[in-house]
Amino acid sequence: LGIMDRLTQLQEKTSNMAVQFYVYLGVVQRDAPDIDGDTTSLENHKKIEVLRERGKELAGALIASQKEIEMLIDSLPGIEESKSQQIQSMKEIDDMNRKATLDLEQAIEATEGILILVRKLIEEIANDCR
């Protein structure tokens, strides 16, 4: 995967964790037992068990997401390099981009020159056919 794909995956995983927290808070709001009520009632006991199960599910999902995020971070290029090595790598990439830009500009100029010649030839051919 490309670096942008990995960064996108990191964003998605982080957003997914936030959604999981949000959903769990909704479950807590909806299913929490009544504090003012009888905490020993069967209904409140069931609600507490549901919340515990949902909490375990959330914890498992968060741990899995966290492991995936760590894996994605570890797979980023240059993650093992020092700051100075990363800066050097970026300078090298920048130099390569500048050279590629120069090559592209030269190719465009050459193509434009050829295009002018082709247009002149077409014009001459058209004039000869009249």
Side-chain angles (χ1 to χ4, degrees), residues 6 67-80:
R6 284 182 237 148
K67 286 180 181 180
E68 291 172 7
I69 288 171
E70 283 182 10
M71 180 190 71
L72 288 168
I73 290 171
D74 289 343
S75 72
L76 290 172
I79 199 72
E80 299 292 326

Side-chain angles (χ1 to χ4, degrees), residues 23-82:
V23 168
Y24 184 70
L25 287 176
V27 168
V28 169
Q29 287 178 334
R30 183 191 67 207
D31 296 341
D34 185 14
I35 294 176
D36 295 333
D38 181 9
T39 57
T40 60
S41 74
L42 183 59
E43 182 180 331
N44 277 344
H45 181 70
K46 286 181 183 179
K47 286 182 176 183
I48 291 170
E49 286 304 312
V50 166
L51 287 176
R52 282 187 181 142
E53 287 303 311
R54 296 283 169 92
K56 289 178 185 177
E57 291 170 12
L58 174 67
L62 292 176
I63 289 169
S65 292
Q66 181 260 342
K67 286 180 181 180
E68 291 172 7
I69 288 171
E70 283 182 10
M71 180 190 71
L72 288 168
I73 290 171
D74 289 343
S75 72
L76 290 172
I79 199 72
E80 299 292 326
E81 296 177 352
S82 69

Side-chain angles (χ1 to χ4, degrees), residues 14 24 28 39 46 56 63-65 72 74 78 81 85 93-94 105 111 114 117 124 127-128:
T14 304
Y24 184 70
V28 169
T39 57
K46 286 181 183 179
K56 289 178 185 177
I63 289 169
S65 292
L72 288 168
D74 289 343
E81 296 177 352
Q85 289 172 321
I93 291 169
D94 189 48
E105 289 171 351
T111 304
I114 293 171
L117 289 174
E124 287 178 18
N127 288 335
D128 288 346

Side-chain angles (χ1 to χ4, degrees), residues 112-129:
E112 287 173 346
I114 293 171
L115 181 61
I116 291 170
L117 289 174
V118 169
R119 285 183 179 156
K120 284 182 183 178
L121 287 173
I122 291 172
E123 188 177 319
E124 287 178 18
I125 293 170
N127 288 335
D128 288 346
C129 291

